[in-house]
Amino acid sequence: MVAFAGGSCTIKHTITNAAVNGGLFHLAARLARFTSSSFYADWAEDIWDWSAKSQLLNTDEWWVNDAVHASRCGNVLSEAGSLYNLGQYIRGTAYMYNATNAENPQWKTRLDSLLERIFNTFFDPWRGDGKVLVGYDDYGTNGDEYIAKGLFAADLAFVTMLAPYTAAEIIPRLQASAIAAARQCSGGDNHKICNIHWARNRPQSAWDSAESMEEQMSARRSSLPAWLCLRTSR
């Protein structure tokens, strides 16, 4: 695997992935926000540009591909898309929007475009105006991806703090997701075991016999972002 290659697509390594480059982008953007240093801001810009050039980040469809051939820009190995990877890019974009004091319109455009794709792809209608986070709802998905679902809810909560104008769209979705996740935490002998299928049995979600540690972590993680958003929006 290889991380950002300085704008070049002619490098020795074979594969580059979004987990590594998205994490590096998020880190650079976060440092740019908290240090006000152009050094880190420039790094974030360069990593974004290279991600787009290599097609890790598809800015036509606003999708984060899992992996590409680093030696051949645009040769996508996996379009599956991971909530973890998408979370790295959406949070980094929000940090850059905040770091530039919303004066750079391209970061708002990028943030809005990513959010629109997220809303259209990873949320389902659920009881009135609410929408519930879906993703990794099929059996056979590995535990790391289950955990990523709860982490992604936290990523969206951070976006509302870095770009407050997004709260009106994000907070209702996080609230509905937290309620749906809590409704199906009704399994096991103690009637508190959770699963990952928050929206499957809407409007009355119910436990469906899954009980892995990762599913418990994800469901419980979903409630904190909703609470955090409520506290910061008052």
Side-chain angles (χ1 to χ4, degrees), residues 75-141:
N75 192 330
V76 177
L77 288 174
S78 173
E79 296 180 345
S82 163
L83 285 177
Y84 176 82
N85 296 340
L86 190 55
Q88 295 296 304
Y89 278 95
I90 191 72
R91 194 187 286 206
T93 303
Y95 271 115
M96 287 303 294
Y97 168 84
N98 190 280
T100 57
N101 296 314
E103 294 175 358
N104 187 338
Q106 73 175 353
W107 288 112
K108 183 179 186 301
T109 298
R110 291 166 176 174
L111 182 58
D112 290 346
S113 298
L114 285 170
L115 283 174
E116 182 179 6
R117 178 60 192 264
I118 288 166
F119 294 155
N120 290 336
T121 304
F122 292 109
F123 285 86
D124 259 5
W126 185 86
R127 185 174 288 183
D129 295 331
K131 291 177 180 283
V132 176
L133 177 63
V134 298
Y136 309 134
D137 283 16
D138 296 326
Y139 289 110
T141 303

Side-chain angles (χ1 to χ4, degrees), residues 207-226:
W207 184 61
D208 59 5
S209 78
E211 54 183 357
S212 72
M213 174 190 70
E214 292 85 357
E215 288 167 314
Q216 314 316 304
M217 292 173 64
S218 188
R220 284 160 173 76
R221 182 86 182 188
S222 72
S223 63
L224 179 59

Side-chain angles (χ1 to χ4, degrees), residues 169-183:
E169 291 288 341
I170 292 176
I171 290 177
R173 288 173 166 85
L174 292 182
Q175 290 173 329
S177 297
I179 291 170
R183 283 184 182 277

